[in-house]
Amino acid sequence: MSGNNGTPAPRHHKPKPFAPLDFEIFAGGADPARISEAAHLAAQALVHRGRESDDPEVTKRLVKLADQQGLEAIAEIWAESPPRSLPGVLWRLYALRAATQQNPEKMAAYFKAGKEAAPVSKVVAGVAEPPGADEVKAMTDAILSGAFDGDFDVALERSAAFCRIVALGQTHHADAADAANEKHGSRLTRSSHLLMKTAEDLEAAAEAWRRGQLD
């Protein structure tokens, strides 16, 4: 395919699909020995840009960054960052939103199954009742917005609470699935463990932010 001037037209990059169930992509994360300076600088620039602006349109564009650039592009920058670093937590916030946006019905089902076992986390997460597909999508948008126009540590704690509830819901679904589909049950159990680890990392990152030590 060529452009009007005879030169080849640029090929549009198709982002790699993000499987909502496969939280292994971001949950827990990897801890490489070295994180590139570019990843940290990009994360710092993004957060500072959002927090220095009082324009809601800027916040909206930052929230939808993964929609515009593709989650894969963000993953290439931040996915291998330590989970308790600024680029690491930004990756987790974007990835969690992407998972919820792509399969809100399933995320809502996990949330419903887990919320009664974690009443404190339910309040912190702040999902409207009853927590349906639209409610969980709105919640993840609100959390990511809060990272740029609110208290960053609160955004991290809300995300952690959401992860805990979804993880508990996955455990509940895994128990029900084991008898009929052992493979699916095992996969849900693994995802639940990783989400719990992500929740712990986000909570630790929130504490580090309050101490001025999250970079």
Side-chain angles (χ1 to χ4, degrees), residues 23 92 110 123-124 145 148 152 189:
F23 284 103
R92 282 153 181 77
Y110 293 147
V123 172
V124 174
S145 294
F148 300 117
F152 193 76
T189 299

Side-chain angles (χ1 to χ4, degrees), residues 169-202:
Q170 288 182 330
T171 298
H172 177 80
H173 279 250
D175 291 342
D178 276 343
N181 189 335
E182 184 176 349
K183 185 176 180 180
H184 179 60
S186 297
R187 192 178 179 200
L188 279 172
T189 299
R190 183 175 66 251
S191 180
S192 174
H193 290 327
L194 291 169
L195 267 184
M196 281 294 191
K197 175 62 168 60
T198 292
E200 293 171 1
D201 289 332
L202 289 169

Side-chain angles (χ1 to χ4, degrees), residues 3-196:
N4 294 334
N5 60 1
T7 59
R11 293 185 179 181
H12 295 287
H13 173 66
K14 183 178 181 181
K16 181 181 179 181
F18 182 83
L21 179 59
D22 285 340
F23 284 103
E24 291 92 334
I25 295 176
F26 70 95
D31 283 319
R34 292 178 62 235
I35 299 300
S36 72
E37 183 181 3
H40 286 268
L41 290 175
Q44 291 164 5
L46 196 68
V47 171
H48 292 159
R49 172 73 174 106
R51 299 182 68 78
E52 288 173 359
S53 174
D54 57 3
D55 184 350
E57 285 302 312
V58 171
T59 300
K60 185 176 180 179
R61 287 198 298 271
L62 291 173
V63 169
K64 294 182 178 294
L65 181 66
D67 300 344
Q68 299 159 357
Q69 302 298 324
L71 191 68
E72 186 180 60
I74 294 177
E76 289 175 357
I77 301 172
W78 291 334
E80 295 303 315
S81 297
R84 300 184 184 189
S85 67
L86 186 59
V89 297
L90 279 177
W91 161 241
R92 282 153 181 77
L93 293 181
Y94 276 110
L96 184 62
R97 177 183 178 273
T100 304
Q101 294 288 323
Q102 290 193 15
N103 204 332
E105 292 81 9
K106 185 170 288 186
M107 293 293 282
Y110 293 147
F111 191 92
K112 288 178 183 177
K115 67 187 179 73
E116 298 308 324
V120 174
S121 292
K122 180 176 71 172
V123 172
V124 174
V127 178
E129 291 286 348
D134 289 341
E135 286 74 21
V136 294
K137 287 171 63 178
M139 189 278 311
T140 52
D141 273 358
I143 286 176
L144 195 49
S145 294
F148 300 117
D149 63 11
D151 295 322
F152 193 76
D153 55 330
V154 172
L156 297 182
E157 288 174 337
R158 289 186 66 190
S159 185
F162 185 71
C163 286
R164 286 188 181 279
I165 295 173
V166 171
L168 289 169
Q170 288 182 330
T171 298
H172 177 80
H173 279 250
D175 291 342
D178 276 343
N181 189 335
E182 184 176 349
K183 185 176 180 180
H184 179 60
S186 297
R187 192 178 179 200
L188 279 172
T189 299
R190 183 175 66 251
S191 180
S192 174
H193 290 327
L194 291 169
L195 267 184
M196 281 294 191

